[in-house]
Amino acid sequence: RKHSPGEVALRLTIEACCKNGLLRLDFSTGDADYKRQWADEIIELSAILQARTYKGLIWASATALKLAVKRLVKRTPWLHHVALSLR
């Protein structure tokens, strides 16, 4: 995985951007270790969910719980390892 085609392509893209004087590169959404390794500045993302009905409250609550669990798993190394092994 360390030298996967995607990893090589990413590194070549970043190298080309640096050589051409690009000052900023948006890695897009998602939490991945490689983004933090390459970044000088990190902008934390957030989600705002608001329900207008009781049915919407159930959906918004379930979605917020899903996001919170996903964030917890990705930030806890042993949980992340377990989640990847279950894929």
Side-chain angles (χ1 to χ4, degrees), residues 6-74:
E7 178 73 19
V8 172
L10 172 68
R11 290 180 184 278
L12 291 174
T13 299
I14 292 171
E15 181 182 10
C17 290
C18 292
K19 284 181 179 176
N20 289 316
L22 187 67
L23 299 177
R24 296 185 192 276
L25 178 67
D26 183 359
F27 282 110
S28 182
T29 60
D31 189 21
D33 290 337
Y34 74 86
K35 294 177 183 181
R36 293 187 184 276
Q37 292 170 2
W38 282 100
D40 292 329
E41 179 183 356
I42 297 169
I43 300 171
E44 296 293 337
L45 298 177
S46 60
I48 298 172
L49 300 170
Q50 184 176 6
R52 294 181 177 221
T53 64
Y54 288 115
K55 187 177 178 181
L57 180 61
I58 294 168
W59 178 87
S61 298
T63 302
L65 179 62
K66 176 183 169 187
L67 290 172
V69 168
K70 184 176 180 180
R71 199 170 287 136
L72 175 68
V73 168
K74 286 192 170 197

Side-chain angles (χ1 to χ4, degrees), residues 72-84:
L72 175 68
V73 168
K74 286 192 170 197
R75 292 187 178 173
T76 309
W78 68 272
L79 277 176
H80 192 240
H81 178 72
V82 170
L84 289 176

